[in-house]
Amino acid sequence: MAEPAFRFETEWVPADEGGEPAYILKLTNRSGRGLEGFRLAVSGPGRVDPAGEVEGGSIGTRLSNHTTFLPPEGLVLQPGETWTITVRKLSWQFRHWNDGARGAYLVLSDGSTIDLKTEPTASRSSNATFKRGIETWPVPAVPPVPVSIIPWPERVVVAGQRTAPAGFAVKAANAAGKAAAEAFASLADALFPADGLSRSEAEGGVPVMLTPAEGLGAEAYRIDFTGEAISVSASAQAGFFYGLVTLGQIWRGAKLYPNAYSFPAAGRIEDSPGMGWRGMHLDVARQFYATSEIRRLLAILAWNKLNRFHWHLTDDEAWRVEIEAYPSLTEIGAWRGEGLPIPALLGTGAARTGGYYSKAAVREIVALARSYGIEVVPEIDLPGHSFAMIAALPELKDPAETGEYQSVQGFPNNCINPAREKTYEVLDRIFEELVELFPFRTIHVGADEVPLGAWSGSPEALALLTELAGEEVASQHARRLNVLTNTHGADDIEGSGAAVLQAVFLERVQKMLAARGCVTGGWEEAAHGNVIDKAMSYLCGWRSVEVSASLARQGYDMVVCPGQVYYLDMANSPDWDEPGASWAGWSDCDKLYHFDPVEGWSEAEKSRLRGIQACLWSESALDRGIADRLIFPRLSALAESAWTRPGAKSFERFKAAAALMPVLYGYP
Ligand code: TNX
C-alpha cells in the first residue's frame, strides 16, 4: 500500500518527566507538494481547554474536545517537513492512552478534508502495549462451589451430580410460565445460538416443569432437583425466567468445564433479589450504539439478572430518539462531522457519523427488554447537556442572549432556557411522545452539571431570577457571564442563581411528568432547591455514598452509582496503558465487587435505597474493544452486589465463574 501523504503523531509528556506536562502534535508532509492554507482538526476524550497555551500554532476553533489548529501565518509545509504544536497548562492532564487525539483530519483552503490516520497518543512515561479487550480469570480446576451461578442465589443446597442434560424442554402450566419459557428460549438463542440450551424432548431436552407457587415475590424462584426431574416454582413471569437463567448458568458451567462444575442430582435453590433496582446506564449520545448492540446488551443484562436499563438518549453531543413533533432533533442532533452544527467530536473523523433510534426501534427494544424482565428508563438530559437539542431547536434559547458560559465538558451555552414558555411547550410534546414509547412511566430528566454561569447572559432568565430571588442575586448572576468556570470538574451550583433557575424548571417539569402518571428521575443535582415531589421521583447519586445517604435522609429515593466505582468509564487502573477515564478515580473488578454502596447508612436511610446501577458514559468507549474492557467483568460484580446479600458474597466464588458470563463483542 502506498504511504499516506501525511503522517500525524501525538505524544503526551507527563509531569513526572520533571518538567511541565505537554501535549505534542506533529504533522509530517510525505506528499510531493507543499501544503499551505490549511487547518488541522483533532478530537478525542481529552480536550485542549481555554487554559491550554499553544506553541507552534494557534487555535482556530474549539468546541468541547474538537479543536482546529492553525499553522503560523504563511507556513508552507514542504515535502518531508514536520509541523509541531505543543500545548501546555491544560486544566486536565491526559492519563490514559485513549485520552489524546483519536481522530484527526486536515481542512484545506477549498473546504475539502483529508482524514489522517490517528494512532493513540504515546506517553513518555509508558511504552507498555495499550490494553483493550476483556481480561478475566480462568475457571479454576477446583472452584469453591460445584455450581456456576452469578449473581449467587440466596440459598443453595444441592447434592450429587448427573450428566448435564443435552438441553432443557421447558413445560409451562400457566401464562406467566409460558411467557417466561418463550423469553428464556429467545435469550438462550441470542446469547448462545449454537448451544441448544433450549430444545425439544425429541432433541433430547430434559423436561423442566414451571410450577406456579404462591407466596413468592415477583422475581423470586425455587428450583428443585430430584433425580431426573427439574422444576422451577415462581409466582410471576420474572421469577420463572430467573429460575431458568440460573439453570442455564449451571448447565453452561457443567458443559464447558465438566471437571470443575457439575449439574446437581438433588437439592434445592431458593432465591430472591436483595435490591429491587439493579441497573445499567448506557450513554448512547457520546457514541452511538445500533439496535443490534442494544439487543445484545439487554440479553447480557438479563443473564446477570439486572432489571433496569437507563438509556441516556440525549446529551450535548447528540439527540438519539425520534420525536415526530420535532424532526430536526434527529435530523440535526443525531449527526456530527466537519461543517455540521455538531463537529467531529470524540475522535470521529470529518465524515458525517451518528444515528438515532426510530420509534419502531425503540418499541422493539422496550418490548424485548420487558420480555427479559427489564424496564427501560429513558433519559432526556435537561436543562443542561443540551447543546445538540438547542442546535436543533434554537427557540429553546433566549433570542436576546449574549456572551458565553461553558459547561464542564466545554460546551458553550448548553442549557435550555427555564424562563421561556416555549421551553415547556416543546417539552410537553416531547414527553407526550416519550410516555407513549416507554410504558414503565419513569422518565429521567438529567439535571446534572448545569454550569454556574448558565443563563447569565439571558435577559429573560435574569428577569425571572429577579422575580424569584431578588435583584441582588440576579445581578450577581449576571456577573458570571464570560467567566470561565468548571475548569476542574463540575462546579457545585448550590445556592447560585443557576440553581434557583434550575429548580423552577425542574419543579415544573416534574409536575408535567406527574400529570402524565410518570415518576421523574434525576441525577443528584435535581435535589437543589428541594422542589421535586419525593413521592414521584428518584435520584441517581453519583458523587459519593455520603451524598447519597444525605439525600436519602432528606427523603429522596436513591439509586446509588458513585463515579469512583460504579462508573464503568473509569479505568481499571491508573496506568497509561489502561483505557478509560479517571476524573472520579479508578476501580478494578475487585474494588467494585467489595464496594459497599450503603456504607455508614442508617436504617432510615437504607429504607430509601432503591438499588444500584453501573453507568457507562461513552466518551472513552472509542472502540468496542475498549467498551468490552470497561464493562466486563465489572458489570457482573455490580450485578452480584445488587442481588446477593452482602454476607453471602464471595469474590473467590465470583472469580471462578466470571469467565462463563457472556460479553458484548469479545474483540481482542
Ligand atoms: C459526568 S456525573 C457526567 C457525564 C459524563 C461523565 C463522564 C454526571 C451525571 N454527568 O456527563 O459523561 O461524567 O464520566
Side-chain angles (χ1 to χ4, degrees):
M1 220 170 75
E3 277 273 334
F6 299 96
R7 187 181 162 91
F8 177 63
E9 297 157 287
T10 58
E11 191 185 19
W12 175 253
V13 185
D16 51 56
E17 283 286 289
E20 252 192 307
Y23 177 35
I24 301 168
L25 305 94
K26 288 184 184 164
L27 177 73
T28 304
N29 185 354
R30 298 188 160 208
S31 76
R33 299 172 47 192
L35 179 70
E36 59 187 312
F38 67 97
R39 284 180 291 143
L40 168 68
V42 298
S43 69
R47 66 189 183 94
V48 179
D49 75 319
E53 289 177 5
V54 182
E55 281 165 30
S58 58
I59 288 185
T61 57
R62 163 174 35 222
L63 188 91
S64 183
N65 58 68
H66 182 269
T67 310
T68 60
F69 293 98
L70 304 176
E73 198 55 58
L75 176 94
V76 182
L77 192 64
Q78 298 295 353
E81 278 183 2
T82 298
W83 170 37
T84 303
I85 306 165
T86 305
V87 187
R88 300 181 209 280
K89 302 224 173 357
L90 291 175
S91 299
W92 285 90
Q93 312 278 296
F94 294 180
R95 301 198 187 285
H96 301 281
W97 69 259
N98 62 303
D99 270 342
R102 291 301 309 280
Y105 56 94
L106 297 175
V107 185
L108 307 183
S109 49
D110 64 357
S112 63
T113 58
I114 300 175
D115 267 321
L116 299 171
K117 269 199 190 307
T118 312
E119 286 298 318
T121 303
S123 168
R124 280 203 194 149
S125 69
S126 164
N127 57 10
T129 310
F130 303 145
K131 291 177 175 158
R132 36 156 85 84
I134 300 160
E135 249 179 78
T136 189
W137 300 272
V139 172
V142 186
V145 289
V147 283
S148 52
I149 311 169
I150 291 177
W152 189 250
E154 216 176 345
R155 212 160 296 118
V156 179
V157 185
V158 290
Q161 55 174 297
R162 54 174 280 186
T163 309
F168 302 121
V170 182
K171 312 266 177 221
N174 63 0
K178 203 162 168 282
E182 272 167 26
F184 177 71
S186 103
L187 177 70
D189 213 40
L191 289 174
F192 315 110
D195 281 12
L197 185 45
S198 171
R199 60 171 76 197
S200 67
E201 282 180 272
E203 295 187 4
V206 166
V208 172
M209 311 307 291
L210 300 187
T211 317
E214 294 299 310
L216 290 177
E219 295 185 312
Y221 65 90
R222 192 172 66 227
I223 306 175
D224 286 289
F225 301 91
T226 334
E228 278 298 297
I230 305 165
S231 78
V232 176
S233 310
S235 72
Q237 182 181 337
F240 285 127
F241 180 72
Y242 285 150
L244 290 169
V245 168
T246 296
L247 275 178
Q249 291 188 350
I250 295 174
W251 180 91
R252 292 195 80 238
K255 271 276 195 220
L256 272 58
Y257 299 93
N259 297 325
Y261 285 114
S262 52
F263 198 93
R268 172 175 274 192
I269 293 174
E270 286 170 284
D271 202 7
S272 72
M275 294 182 192
W277 184 293
R278 307 179 302 278
M280 176 170 173
H281 151 291
L282 179 69
D283 162 15
V284 299
R286 274 58 177 263
Q287 316 285 348
F288 183 65
Y289 300 80
T291 295
S292 55
E293 296 177 274
I294 304 293
R295 259 195 242 118
R296 181 158 179 95
L297 180 65
L298 290 170
I300 290 167
L301 298 186
W303 200 255
N304 282 274
K305 301 195 176 88
L306 292 167
N307 67 353
R308 296 287 181 271
F309 176 48
H310 175 161
W311 202 2
H312 186 82
L313 286 166
T314 76
D315 214 298
D316 291 306
E317 291 85 346
W319 181 284
R320 303 284 191 204
V321 56
E322 176 185 7
I323 300 292
E324 280 165 73
Y326 303 107
S328 66
L329 283 170
T330 45
E331 281 164 11
I332 291 176
W335 308 95
R336 64 177 79 135
E338 175 60 20
L340 298 180
I342 304 170
L345 298 160
L346 293 167
T348 46
R352 178 179 184 263
T353 58
Y356 67 91
Y357 305 101
S358 68
K359 286 195 158 180
V362 171
R363 288 200 179 94
E364 184 203 320
I365 285 169
V366 168
L368 180 70
R370 282 216 143 175
S371 76
Y372 290 165
I374 300 166
E375 297 292 0
V376 181
V377 177
E379 178 182 351
I380 303 297
D381 201 348
L382 306 168
H385 285 282
S386 295
F387 184 84
M389 187 188 195
I390 295 170
L393 298 173
E395 60 266 40
L396 299 176
K397 223 166 75 174
D398 179 349
E401 183 160 1
T402 56
E404 191 174 285
Y405 57 86
Q406 281 224 2
S407 74
V408 61
Q409 286 93 359
F411 285 91
N413 303 0
N414 70 337
C415 303
I416 62 171
N417 201 300
R420 315 209 82 203
E421 254 339 276
K422 188 73 188 172
T423 299
Y424 302 95
E425 188 191 309
V426 168
L427 287 180
D428 199 54
R429 297 192 63 177
I430 292 176
F431 290 153
E432 184 181 335
E433 296 193 29
L434 289 179
V435 169
E436 195 259 323
L437 283 174
F438 295 97
F440 186 47
R441 298 213 161 235
T442 299
I443 293 185
H444 196 292
V445 297
D448 57 317
E449 300 182 329
V450 164
L452 206 46
W455 311 295
S456 52
S458 154
E460 289 179 15
L462 291 170
L464 176 62
L465 187 56
T466 309
E467 219 176 278
L468 294 166
E471 254 165 50
E472 169 106 27
V473 174
S475 64
Q476 206 179 17
H477 192 57
R479 286 197 291 276
R480 294 207 190 276
L481 193 61
N482 299 325
V483 176
L484 199 62
T485 58
N486 279 314
T487 48
H488 288 86
D491 291 319
D492 189 355
I493 64 165
E494 184 86 83
S496 69
V500 174
L501 288 166
Q502 177 186 286
V504 277
F505 170 82
L506 282 181
E507 186 176 14
R508 195 153 160 196
V509 161
Q510 189 262 313
K511 286 205 172 96
M512 285 161 68
L513 286 170
R516 295 182 185 278
C518 283
V519 167
T520 300
W523 297 100
E524 61 186 48
E525 293 98 315
H528 290 326
N530 199 22
V531 289
I532 59 173
D533 179 0
K534 299 187 177 79
M536 285 296 281
S537 63
Y538 76 95
L539 301 180
C540 298
W542 62 268
R543 280 204 170 84
S544 66
V545 163
E546 291 76 26
V547 171
S548 289
S550 85
L551 292 169
R553 190 153 63 243
Q554 291 165 47
Y556 290 101
D557 276 2
M558 295 305 299
V559 170
V560 178
C561 48
Q564 322 82 270
V565 272
Y566 289 171
Y567 274 16
L568 298 181
D569 51 319
M570 294 307 125
N572 279 276
S573 92
D575 302 337
W576 183 266
D577 59 8
E578 194 66 68
S582 48
W583 67 265
W586 62 271
S587 154
D588 60 15
C589 189
D590 186 336
K591 197 156 144 188
L592 193 155
Y593 188 90
H594 289 105
F595 183 77
D596 178 2
V598 289
E599 190 179 273
W601 288 38
S602 67
E603 283 312 307
E605 287 156 8
K606 281 185 189 162
S607 72
R608 293 283 169 201
L609 178 77
R610 283 205 185 192
I612 58 179
Q613 70 181 26
C615 300
L616 183 68
W617 299 99
S618 295
E619 293 96 330
S620 312
L622 293 144
D623 64 52
R624 292 338 194 205
I626 297 180
D628 257 354
R629 186 173 186 85
L630 293 173
I631 300 172
F632 306 104
R634 293 189 291 181
L635 183 69
S636 296
L638 182 286
E640 186 143 308
S641 301
W643 182 284
T644 308
R645 309 304 184 281
K649 285 172 74 179
S650 151
F651 194 48
E652 286 307 308
R653 182 190 63 217
F654 173 86
K655 284 194 291 186
L660 283 156
M661 298 303 278
V663 302
L664 260 174
Y665 308 100
Y667 294 167

